[in-house]
Amino acid sequence: MSTIINTPNAPAPIGPYNQAVFAGNLLFISGQIALDAQTGELVMPDLATETHKVMANIKSILTEAGLDFGAIVKTSIFLKDMGDFAQVNEIYGSYFSGNFPARETIQVASLPKNVNVEISVTAYKA
């Protein structure tokens, strides 16, 4: 059995998917980019701001599901340029305290709306 999670505090999906889906105790959050939920506009004045917006969108979905960053067990980070890894990694890491989730970081040829970073996560609800 699965449960769909959607919140107006994160960007609406731009395709045939949901913001997140609970399958049992696992929450799968779709890849988030730096879209503003209210305006639908990208927030990309610089890489730091873009990354913080991605993490804020993830936080909004986690909150709607009754979870926080401590519940995340796995993340996937997609970068347009692996040269951005250090800066994204530092910002990403600042959202966790203690046990970090498993993760992979992948450079890709292109991302939706030509963004620089997209992050998806899997969380566990105890």
Side-chain angles (χ1 to χ4, degrees):
M1 178 166 172
S2 63
T3 304
I4 305 302
I5 302 294
N6 281 304
T7 175
N9 298 319
I14 55 176
Y17 61 91
N18 288 293
Q19 290 172 337
V21 177
F22 259 119
N25 288 347
L26 291 175
L27 178 68
F28 298 90
I29 297 180
S30 295
Q32 295 299 302
I33 60 175
L35 279 175
D36 182 274
Q38 279 63 53
T39 66
E41 299 295 320
L42 286 171
V43 179
M44 297 176 47
D46 54 63
L47 183 62
T49 303
E50 180 180 359
T51 305
H52 280 295
K53 185 61 182 166
V54 170
M55 297 303 285
N57 289 340
I58 291 169
K59 180 180 181 181
S60 293
I61 297 167
L62 287 167
T63 300
E64 182 71 19
L67 301 173
D68 59 25
F69 282 99
I72 296 175
V73 295
K74 174 76 167 54
T75 62
S76 297
I77 300 176
F78 303 94
L79 297 175
K80 190 165 61 171
D81 181 351
M82 196 56 83
D84 293 337
F85 176 82
Q87 187 175 10
V88 170
N89 190 54
E90 181 178 345
I91 293 165
Y92 161 89
S94 73
Y95 284 82
F96 297 92
S97 59
N99 294 328
F100 294 101
R103 180 186 84 188
E104 69 260 337
T105 304
I106 305 155
Q107 179 174 316
V108 296
S110 182
L111 288 165
K113 297 189 174 279
N114 204 32
V115 298
N116 297 299
V117 60
E118 179 176 358
I119 302 175
S120 65
V121 306
T122 302
Y124 178 77
K125 186 170 189 173

